[in-house]
Amino acid sequence: MKELRSAIHALVPLPDDTWEAMAACWHPVEFKRKTVITAAGDTERYTYFVLDGLQRAFSLAEGEKEATLMFSYKGSFSGIIDSFFLQQPSRYYLETLTHSAFLRISFADVSRLMQEHPLIAHWVHLGVVQALAGVMERMIEVQTLGAEHKFRRLLARSPHVLQMIPHKYLASYLGIDPATFSKLLGSARI
């Protein structure tokens, strides 16, 4: 719970009574490697805080081509955010790439807490806005940059992912061919 409180506090410091109301709603859960937590067509019922492991959200395009949309790992929040907040079927999948341990909170609990505690509603609002800003930045990169520039931006922003995440998923995330990714990796000074 200490890691979760630090992550929440970094965005919105919560007084002890508000934190205790929120903390009571998070519950531990674990999933094995390569488990689909949320499938396309399912409605996301939980938001997760990652205690351990690596996950990815991905979509399946026509012809079954996968496109990796995001990664989550220790210390980050995870889940299919649009499905969670809209309570509509997901268009994406959330899967574990490694054995994963989480704390999770239900949609019902988040909704109730937001109504009862304005600071929690403020925290959710800021978290969603930050996620949207990240998506917009990523869209600009995907639509305007070539393979090498996307690769270099990834290295500048998150060099640690090269050791954590299988390269085929990083190539998919960047929208580049795995062979191109390997060439860029071979020529990069890390």
Side-chain angles (χ1 to χ4, degrees):
M1 282 293 184
K2 184 179 176 184
E3 291 175 356
L4 175 63
R5 187 169 193 179
S6 293
I8 292 170
H9 186 82
L11 207 53
V12 176
L14 300 178
D16 288 343
D17 62 328
T18 304
W19 163 249
E20 287 169 14
M22 179 179 251
C25 296
W26 291 85
H27 304 286
V29 63
E30 293 187 23
F31 294 97
K32 293 179 181 178
R33 176 186 179 276
K34 297 299 278 180
T35 299
V36 173
I37 298 172
T38 306
D42 293 349
T43 299
E44 182 69 83
R45 303 281 182 218
Y46 299 97
T47 287
Y48 301 88
F49 180 75
V50 183
L51 299 173
D52 194 33
L54 174 64
Q55 309 79 43
R56 75 175 179 135
F58 69 96
S59 69
L60 282 176
E62 289 181 36
E64 300 297 308
K65 183 181 178 192
E66 290 183 8
T68 298
L69 306 170
M70 64 136 225
F71 298 101
S72 53
Y73 40 83
K74 185 176 180 165
S76 65
F77 290 92
S78 188
I80 307 295
I81 192 170
D82 58 331
S83 176
F84 180 78
F85 282 111
L86 296 172
Q87 285 297 280
Q88 294 177 350
S90 174
R91 293 171 286 164
Y92 319 109
Y93 296 81
L94 177 65
E95 78 168 339
T96 60
L97 296 178
T98 64
H99 177 269
S100 298
F102 304 92
L103 293 173
R104 74 179 183 186
I105 188 169
S106 71
F107 176 77
D109 283 335
V110 169
S111 296
R112 179 183 53 76
L113 288 167
M114 287 173 59
Q115 289 178 1
E116 293 173 1
H117 301 276
L119 280 177
I120 292 175
H122 183 60
W123 169 71
V124 168
H125 172 81
L126 289 178
V128 169
V129 169
Q130 281 189 345
L132 178 60
V135 167
M136 297 303 291
E137 180 180 340
R138 180 147 152 64
M139 282 193 66
I140 291 168
E141 288 178 3
V142 167
Q143 292 183 1
T144 63
L145 300 179
E148 184 174 354
H149 283 105
K150 286 190 247 186
F151 179 80
R152 296 217 177 275
R153 285 245 179 126
L154 176 68
L155 285 182
R157 184 175 53 242
S158 305
H160 61 285
V161 298
L162 290 176
Q163 275 61 49
M164 294 175 58
I165 300 171
H167 294 167
K168 70 179 182 177
Y169 297 126
L170 290 173
S172 172
Y173 175 76
L174 294 174
I176 62 178
D177 182 77
T180 302
F181 184 89
S182 291
K183 287 178 188 174
L184 291 168
L185 186 60
S187 67
R189 292 186 195 144
I190 302 170

